[in-house]
Every structure is written in structure tokens, then in C-alpha cells.
Amino acid sequence: MRRITIWLLSTVAALVLLFSYRTSTMGAGETGAVAAGTDPGSGSWSGTDGGTGADPSDGGATTDGGTGTGTGDSGTATGSVAQTRWGPVQVKITVSGGKITDVTAVQVPDGNRRDQEINDYAVPILRQEALAAQSARIDSVSGATVTSDGYRESLQSAIDAAHLG
């Protein structure tokens, strides 16, 4: 009888310890939640469209917010914030001649040292993949799947804002 009592108390103690353990995701918000003031399907474009849709009297250059077709566009586009379970991910693309020439991570999860290690490794790989693919159809980085998914989502938003395919 004494063994059963000790076993029962140790089991209850182990369960209490297990359920009271705080992980790095506590307080990071729900998966798929959208940050206040962000629209998950929108990005912002700042640039010129090389004459497409421009008034002929102004020499073909316009800063009309990216209404061009993507064939001669130059400028930058910032993707929407993708909320992941580890934190927000947001990218900005630079476009020249209708091609993505640079991808910059504006926000990545950095809640702890492990997040920073993962992103220091994964973000340059994701950048190279995006530049090579010229689209958001890029592979996930092993060990950084959640960040990769958020990166792709924000990248696609920036590509849409820049009207690139």
C-alpha cells in the first residue's frame, strides 16, 4: 500500500512539473494570427514602372504605386508580416528591370538565442533560393521550416505588390 501511495504522489508531481514548464512559444501568439494593423495579403510598393500606364506628358516615369506590368519595373516592395508560431517574418524585395535583385529580411523571429542561430543560418539560404527562383516557389530550409513558410508568405506578398508575375 505504501508503494502505491509513493508511486501515485510521484506521478502527480511529475505531471504538475510537466504542465507548468514554460516553452519559448508562450506569449508568441497563436499560429496564423495576424498582427494588428497588417493585412496578410497585402504588401507595399515604392518605385517606378518604366512607362507602363504612365501619362505620356511626363516622359514615361511614374510613381503610381506599382500599377505596371512587371516588365520594366524598378523599386522596392515590402511584403506583409507573416505571423508564425515563433514570431513575425517579413521581407522586402528590390526590383530592377522587372527582376528581383535583392531580398532583405526585415523581421525574423529572435525571441531567444536558438531563434537567432536558426535564422542566421536559414535566412541567407532563403535569400539565395528566392533570387535564383525569381519567385516564392522555394524550398524550406531543414530545421527552419516555420521561418521558411513565413518567408515564402511574405515574399509572395512583396512579389504581388510589385506586380511581378
Side-chain angles (χ1 to χ4, degrees), residues 1-164:
M1 187 69 167
R2 185 175 177 157
R3 277 193 237 171
I4 293 174
T5 305
I6 293 173
W7 175 83
L8 184 62
L9 288 175
S10 63
T11 302
V12 170
L15 286 173
V16 167
L17 289 173
L18 179 67
F19 287 117
S20 66
Y21 180 74
R22 296 189 154 262
T23 64
S24 65
T25 61
M26 297 277 184
E30 294 294 320
T31 303
V34 177
T38 64
D39 178 4
S42 68
S44 63
W45 170 252
S46 171
T48 61
D49 76 0
T52 340
D55 183 358
S57 65
D58 69 2
T62 182
T63 55
D64 62 357
T67 60
T69 62
T71 56
D73 294 353
S74 296
T76 61
T78 304
S80 62
V81 177
Q83 288 294 339
T84 70
R85 67 186 219 201
W86 304 118
V89 178
Q90 185 179 30
V91 300
K92 179 171 84 169
I93 62 172
T94 302
V95 178
S96 180
K99 300 276 186 194
I100 300 171
T101 58
D102 192 23
V103 182
T104 306
V106 177
Q107 292 184 65
V108 291
D110 62 355
N112 59 48
R113 197 167 69 162
R114 181 68 178 140
D115 289 343
Q116 293 167 359
E117 289 173 4
I118 290 170
N119 292 316
D120 286 348
Y121 167 75
V123 170
I125 295 171
L126 292 167
R127 177 184 178 274
Q128 286 301 102
E129 290 273 332
L131 290 173
Q134 290 291 303
S135 75
R137 282 178 248 138
I138 58 176
D139 292 333
S140 292
V141 175
S142 180
T145 306
V146 173
T147 298
S148 298
D149 291 344
Y151 194 95
R152 269 194 301 275
E153 181 182 327
S154 184
L155 178 61
Q156 184 61 56
S157 173
I159 290 170
D160 292 345
H163 301 285
L164 297 173

